[in-house]
Amino acid sequence: MGEVQIIGTGSYVPERILTNDEISKIIDTNDQWIRSRTGIGERRITTGENTSKIAAKAAINALKNASINAEDIDLIIVATTTPDCYTPSTACIVQSLIGASRAVCFDISAACSGFIYALNIAYQFLRNGAMKNALIIGGETLSKILDWNDRGTCVLFGDGAGAAVLSIGNEEGVLGNYMASDGRGSDLLKCDAAPVDINNNILRKEVLGDEVYKNSKYLSMEGKEIFKFAVKVMEETIEKLLEEAKLDLSNIDYIIPHQANLRIIDHTIKKLDIDKEKFYINLQSYGNTSAASIPIALDEMNRKGLLKKGQNILMVGFGGGLTWGGSIIKWCK
Ligand code: COA
């Protein structure tokens, strides 16, 4: 047994940029409203690549960064709200795309907290000696489940993927993990799968009615409730993580929040009186990419050379489920 560390990161976002101005040509919104209420300026949207393709590209970049071969990966976890299909898992498709033939593969559904959950799951497998190398990916093509007639949701989200390779080493690279869920809030942010027909279990539009049929495919959200929840659990998660790792904020070099809304982040900064400089924020360029948001940010920081050996990085996420959680990692590269 050894210590668990992140040894490489990667990300990929589709080339197509969708600006606020472009969205305002489709629905009744405008750049000023979106920027002032969310901080988002533009987002990427897929032009045909499904989640597995986007996730595989991020994974290949992470393997390169970690200097590890795909065949050496024991475990692939894809955290996604937007899998290619009900079955097989997106992780299995990624496995075949990248040639990680030895890996055990599965997806997890924890919405925007997905990467944090995946990190914690992989950590457990590595920490207990069952496996040596894990590839965790947050990958989304949210554009395919957005209702482009709903200005309260469609302006917020974007597509992309981020990945990290976890491996066994000598130094302790994961200092704290925290996860929580509350299913009582499951209706606040949701996207239905195919509904069940009570008569014969065969989906028919006539049975379900047009409205149910139409609404079943898109993401819906109670924005204000989610906002209140997010502010509350950001604070809770940061405090729990610091307690578990026996650190205080002065020991934390960077905070990577889930990139949902700048106002949610600003609330946390004020409430906990944290130096804004500690927060890494890129939501202006990508919007909310759900499970991909934290690993895309981590990879950007890595590639920009911001992360130095020995630094402590606190990651905090929240989302549908409701789910929330975080990790404190020590950068060991
Ligand atoms: N453009 C222009 N106007 C918009 C709009 C848009 N894209 N979306 C909503 N509006 C309008 C509303 O229709 C409403 O108009 P009305 O007063 O005439 O009814 C007005 O703006 C205020 O809407 P409201 O929903 O009260 O705005 P808000 O300040 O709560 O901001 C969100 C809306 C979605 C930005 C905000 O609630 C939010 O960010 N919530 C959290 C969402 C989130 O992060 N989800 C993901 C979590 S993982």
Side-chain angles (χ1 to χ4, degrees):
M1 278 211 292
E3 302 293 348
V4 181
Q5 312 174 340
I6 290 183
I7 62 162
T9 64
S11 63
Y12 171 78
V13 290
E15 272 174 35
R16 171 75 165 94
I17 296 171
L18 182 68
T19 63
N20 292 343
D21 283 337
E22 278 180 279
I23 298 183
S24 59
K25 288 186 186 127
I26 316 172
I27 49 160
D28 183 15
T29 188
N30 57 73
D31 181 60
Q32 200 272 332
W33 192 98
I34 302 171
R35 278 183 199 273
S36 63
R37 299 289 176 116
T38 71
I40 298 165
E42 59 190 37
R43 71 288 293 141
R44 302 300 179 99
I45 56 162
T46 181
T47 48
E49 291 176 314
N50 215 332
T51 299
S52 60
K53 269 269 176 62
I54 289 175
K57 287 184 176 175
I60 288 166
N61 290 336
L63 294 175
K64 262 192 218 142
N65 186 246
S67 305
I68 191 170
N69 293 322
E71 299 82 41
D72 293 325
I73 296 294
D74 304 302
L75 172 68
I76 300 175
I77 305 177
V78 174
T80 186
T81 314
T82 47
D84 289 17
C85 30
Y86 285 134
T87 190
S89 68
T90 308
C92 278
I93 305 172
V94 169
Q95 177 195 34
S96 108
L97 288 172
I98 68 173
S101 51
R102 289 183 43 250
V104 171
C105 307
F106 56 87
D107 290 358
I108 59 154
S109 169
C112 306
S113 316
F115 183 77
I116 295 294
Y117 275 44
L119 174 60
N120 200 350
I121 295 166
Y123 171 78
Q124 302 300 333
F125 278 109
L126 267 58
R127 190 73 186 86
N128 75 15
M131 291 175 176
K132 284 201 169 70
N133 302 305
L135 173 63
I136 55 170
I137 309 166
E140 303 283 6
T141 46
L142 289 154
S143 57
K144 72 186 179 192
I145 61 162
L146 292 177
D147 178 354
W148 292 96
N149 294 310
D150 177 11
R151 63 182 184 172
T153 54
C154 76
V155 301
L156 302 176
F157 297 94
D159 300 337
V165 179
L166 270 74
S167 194
I168 295 294
N170 296 325
E171 270 179 88
E172 192 183 8
V174 180
L175 308 184
N177 281 316
Y178 176 63
M179 300 194 294
S181 315
D182 183 358
R184 289 171 302 176
S186 57
D187 281 340
L188 297 178
L189 179 50
K190 69 184 294 199
C191 180
D192 285 337
V196 175
D197 171 355
I198 50 164
N199 295 320
N200 55 13
N201 239 15
I202 297 169
L203 170 65
R204 275 180 294 135
K205 200 171 169 178
E206 313 88 74
V207 175
L208 295 163
D210 269 354
E211 209 42 39
V212 180
Y213 188 79
K214 190 172 123 266
N215 291 336
S216 66
K217 288 177 293 189
Y218 299 120
L219 189 81
S220 63
M221 183 182 71
E222 300 289 337
K224 277 196 195 316
E225 290 306 311
I226 290 290
F227 194 100
K228 280 190 254 168
F229 150 74
V231 170
K232 183 172 148 274
V233 301
M234 282 263 285
E235 189 185 332
E236 172 190 314
T237 304
I238 292 173
E239 283 171 348
K240 294 264 187 201
L241 282 171
L242 292 173
E243 199 183 304
E244 194 199 322
K246 298 188 177 57
L247 296 172
D248 60 51
L249 278 168
S250 66
N251 306 119
I252 302 296
D253 296 283
Y254 285 109
I255 297 178
I256 306 179
H258 171 44
Q259 311 280 322
N261 184 322
L262 193 55
R263 288 193 299 143
I264 294 173
I265 298 169
D266 282 341
H267 263 264
T268 309
I269 289 172
K270 273 206 199 97
K271 189 81 200 292
L272 296 180
D273 193 22
I274 307 174
D275 178 3
K276 194 167 184 174
E277 296 298 305
K278 286 198 180 189
F279 279 76
Y280 187 80
I281 298 166
N282 65 5
L283 59 84
Q284 60 282 1
S285 310
Y286 305 120
N288 178 348
T289 55
S290 191
S293 93
I294 291 174
I296 290 174
L298 181 68
D299 183 53
E300 267 191 8
M301 294 176 76
N302 184 15
R303 283 174 204 266
K304 283 181 179 168
L306 293 175
L307 304 178
K308 307 272 185 282
K309 196 171 164 57
Q311 282 179 335
N312 295 328
I313 302 136
L314 189 154
M315 303 184 282
V316 47
F318 54 85
L322 301 167
T323 58
W324 64 101
S327 297
I328 299 179
I329 58 165
K330 184 178 279 297
W331 197 247
C332 297
K333 265 172 85 76

